[in-house]
C-alpha cells in the first residue's frame, strides 16, 4: 500500500510540473537564414517583376498555427534588405484575400491580414510588456496596427508599408519594414535602426484567414513546438533568425 501511495504522489508531482506556461523558448545560436542585400531597393507596389526579387528563392509558408488550411492553398515568400528596411514579397495562390473595409483599429483581427514579427537585435525573450520585439498586423488596405504596452491598438504605418496586387488565382503582397530597437516610444519621435551586413534579426511571418463561423486559419513561416502553440505573440525566441549578407 505504501508503494501505491508513493506512486500516486509521484504522478501528482509530475502533473503539477506541467501546469502553467512553458519557459521562454531558447532558439539555436548556430542556425540562421541568410538574407541577400538588394542593390536597388524594391518599389513596394505589389508587382513581382522588380529586379531585386528576380534571383531570390521562394520560401514556403505552410506551418499551420491554427485552424485548417485548404489543400490547394499555397503561400511563399522572399526576403531582401537595404540599410533602410527589410523587404518581403509574398505569393498567395488559391487564396482570396478578403477585406471588411471597416475601422482597422477596431477590426484588425476580424479580417484577413498578415502578421509580421520582428526582433531587431535577435535578443529573443519576452516582449509581452516591452518593445523588445514587435508584432505588426497588416490589412489588405495597407493599414498596419500594433499593440502598445497597455494592449491598446496603435497605427504602425511608421513601420510597415505594403501593397497587394491580384492576378487571378495568384496575389502578390509586398512589404517594406522599417526597424526599431527596444527604446522605441510610441509617444515620442523615434529613430529607425540602420541595417548592416552580418546583422542578426529575429523574424516570423503569418497569414490569417478570418472565419466568422470557425477558428481562424493561420499559416506561419516558422514551425512552433506543440507546447508553445499560441505563444509567438509573447515569446520572441520562437522567431526565425535572419542573417543579413552583402
Amino acid at each position: 500500500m505504501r508503494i501505491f501511495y508513493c506512486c500516486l504522489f509521484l504522478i501528482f508531482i509530475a502533473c503539477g510540473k506541467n501546469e502553467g506556461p512553458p519557459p521562454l523558448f531558447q532558439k539555436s545560436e548556430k542556425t540562421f537564414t541568410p538574407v541577400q542585400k538588394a542593390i536597388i531597393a524594391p518599389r513596394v507596389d505589389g508587382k513581382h517583376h522588380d529586379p531585386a526579387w528576380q534571383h531570390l528563392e521562394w520560401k514556403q509558408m505552410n506551418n499551420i498555427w491554427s485552424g485548417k488550411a485548404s489543400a490547394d492553398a499555397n503561400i511563399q515568400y522572399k526576403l531582401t534588405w537595404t540599410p533602410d528596411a527589410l523587404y518581403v514579397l509574398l505569393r498567395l495562390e488559391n487564396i482570396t484575400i478578403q477585406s471588411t473595409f471597416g475601422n482597422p483599429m477596431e477590426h484588425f483581427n476580424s479580417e484577413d491580414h498578415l502578421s509580421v514579427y520582428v526582433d531587431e537585435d535577435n535578443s529573443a525573450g519576452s516582449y509581452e510588456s516591452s518593445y523588445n520585439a514587435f508584432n505588426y498586423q497588416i490589412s489588405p488596405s495597407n493599414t498596419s496596427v500594433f499593440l502598445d504596452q497597455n494592449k491598446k491598438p496603435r497605427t504602425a504605418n511608421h513601420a510597415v508599408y505594403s501593397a497587394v496586387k491580384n492576378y487571378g488565382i495568384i496575389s502578390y503582397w509586398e512589404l517594406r519594414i522599417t526597424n526599431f530597437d527596444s527604446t522605441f516610444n510610441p509617444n515620442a519621435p523615434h529613430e529607425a535602426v540602420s541595417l548592416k551586413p552580418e546583422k542578426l534579426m529575429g523574424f516570423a511571418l503569418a497569414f490569417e484567414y478570418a472565419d466568422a463561423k470557425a477558428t481562424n486559419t493561420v499559416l506561419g513561416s516558422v514551425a512552433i513546438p506543440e507546447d508553445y502553440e499560441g505563444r509567438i505573440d509573447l515569446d520572441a525566441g520562437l522567431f526565425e533568425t535572419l542573417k543579413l549578407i552583402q
Side-chain angles (χ1 to χ4, degrees):
M1 183 64 69
R2 182 181 298 176
I3 294 175
F4 174 75
Y5 283 115
C6 286
C7 290
L8 286 180
F9 177 75
L10 291 174
I11 292 173
F12 173 79
I13 294 297
C15 292
K17 289 181 180 179
N18 291 328
E19 294 179 356
L24 291 171
F25 190 78
Q26 301 297 312
K27 65 164 61 179
S28 170
E29 296 181 357
K30 298 180 180 179
T31 303
F32 60 83
T33 299
V35 178
Q36 185 76 45
K37 182 181 179 183
I39 297 176
I40 301 175
R43 181 178 179 181
V44 180
D45 54 10
K47 298 177 181 179
H48 60 288
H49 297 301
D50 196 293
W53 300 119
Q54 295 310 300
H55 301 292
L56 302 179
E57 294 184 1
W58 290 106
K59 304 175 187 297
Q60 287 294 139
M61 199 169 98
N62 55 6
N63 296 285
I64 299 177
W65 291 1
S66 71
K68 184 178 181 181
S70 170
D72 58 352
N74 183 37
I75 305 179
Q76 298 174 301
Y77 68 102
K78 294 182 179 183
L79 297 170
T80 190
W81 66 279
T82 68
D84 294 330
L86 184 69
Y87 293 85
V88 185
L89 176 67
L90 291 105
R91 182 183 186 275
L92 302 95
E93 184 175 2
N94 294 315
I95 295 173
T96 301
I97 303 173
Q98 302 284 353
S99 178
T100 62
F101 297 103
N103 184 346
M105 302 303 290
E106 297 177 358
H107 305 295
F108 63 92
N109 269 331
S110 60
E111 66 175 352
D112 294 352
H113 64 274
L114 289 176
S115 293
V116 174
Y117 302 83
V118 182
D119 179 10
E120 176 271 327
D121 61 358
N122 200 44
S123 56
S126 172
Y127 67 104
E128 183 176 10
S129 58
S130 72
Y131 298 116
N132 180 57
F134 295 87
N135 174 11
Y136 303 114
Q137 314 289 328
I138 303 101
S139 73
S141 58
N142 187 31
T143 299
S144 302
V145 176
F146 76 105
L147 299 181
D148 65 16
Q149 293 174 324
N150 297 316
K151 305 305 178 187
K152 177 183 177 181
R154 289 177 175 259
T155 178
N157 291 340
H158 64 280
V160 183
Y161 178 80
S162 73
V164 181
K165 292 289 185 183
N166 299 312
Y167 304 88
I169 64 170
I170 296 175
S171 299
Y172 289 92
W173 201 332
E174 199 168 14
L175 302 93
R176 181 185 191 273
I177 305 165
T178 305
N179 298 277
F180 299 91
D181 62 21
S182 59
T183 64
F184 176 84
N185 182 345
N187 300 312
H190 28 267
E191 184 176 352
V193 174
S194 179
L195 304 184
K196 301 177 181 179
E198 305 301 313
K199 181 177 179 61
L200 298 179
M201 302 178 65
F203 178 80
L205 187 64
F207 177 75
E208 183 164 350
Y209 307 76
D211 190 334
K213 298 181 180 180
T215 301
N216 287 2
T217 294
V218 184
L219 294 178
S221 62
V222 296
I224 298 179
E226 183 177 355
D227 291 346
Y228 289 84
E229 290 179 357
R231 295 192 60 80
I232 195 167
D233 293 344
L234 313 171
D235 187 351
L238 294 165
F239 300 3
E240 176 184 16
T241 298
L242 306 181
K243 184 174 183 178
L244 308 184
I245 60 174
Q246 192 71 40

